[in-house]
Amino acid sequence: MNDNTSYTGYLAWQFSQAMGARLEKELRTLDLTLAQHSALQRALNTPGVSSADAARGAGITAQSMGAAVNGLVERGLMERRPHATNRRVLCLHITEEGRHLAERARALVGGVNDDALAILSPAERATAHDLLHRLVEHLNPAALPPHT
């Protein structure tokens, strides 16, 4: 029998769906969505990022990111500031309260990650991480931080 589970991409999608559901459930305890978490982390790691770049990095639409950012701005966790040279672009900056929440969320996400990967040995985890990193770099490089 040749079903979808014979495709690595399908299995990766299933894993992504399961992880996304776990992450959403845990992030709800901090009153965050996965998109809001992505926006906070992107603004924390790349101060002044545009909403469009944050959306590309998260793999979601600009409209979805806009809604996520609106909620964060309303809660005082993030600010939109004008771009230095392009008046049409608004840059995202995390507030001090947002920074604290982002750090709590990052720790929570780490716990979900550790729990999900507990079935793998440390060497298997490293291999899986390296392979997924290469695939994301190939398919959605905007999701990764810039090389330093």
Side-chain angles (χ1 to χ4, degrees), residues 33-147:
T33 66
L34 195 48
Q36 288 173 328
H37 170 68
S38 294
L40 280 175
Q41 296 302 324
R42 188 58 66 139
L44 179 65
N45 296 324
T46 312
V49 67
S50 72
S51 187
D53 284 342
R56 278 188 285 280
I60 62 175
T61 66
Q63 293 82 3
S64 293
M65 183 56 73
V69 169
N70 285 343
L72 295 169
V73 169
E74 289 170 9
R75 290 171 57 192
L77 301 170
M78 185 174 284
E79 298 173 345
R80 287 185 177 106
R81 299 180 195 159
H83 189 274
T85 60
N86 187 341
R87 294 184 344 198
R88 295 181 306 168
V89 175
L90 292 174
C91 303
L92 304 179
H93 294 271
I94 196 166
T95 65
E96 195 57 35
E97 184 180 351
R99 180 179 311 282
H100 291 300
L101 185 61
E103 290 168 0
R104 288 178 55 207
R106 185 175 286 173
L108 188 144
V109 167
V112 171
N113 183 72
D114 289 345
D115 183 57
L117 300 180
I119 192 171
L120 301 177
S121 72
E124 289 171 325
R125 286 184 191 201
T127 298
H129 180 86
D130 290 345
L131 291 171
L132 287 171
H133 192 277
R134 284 178 50 204
L135 289 168
V136 170
E137 190 171 46
H138 173 67
L139 296 173
N140 185 15
L144 301 173
H147 293 291

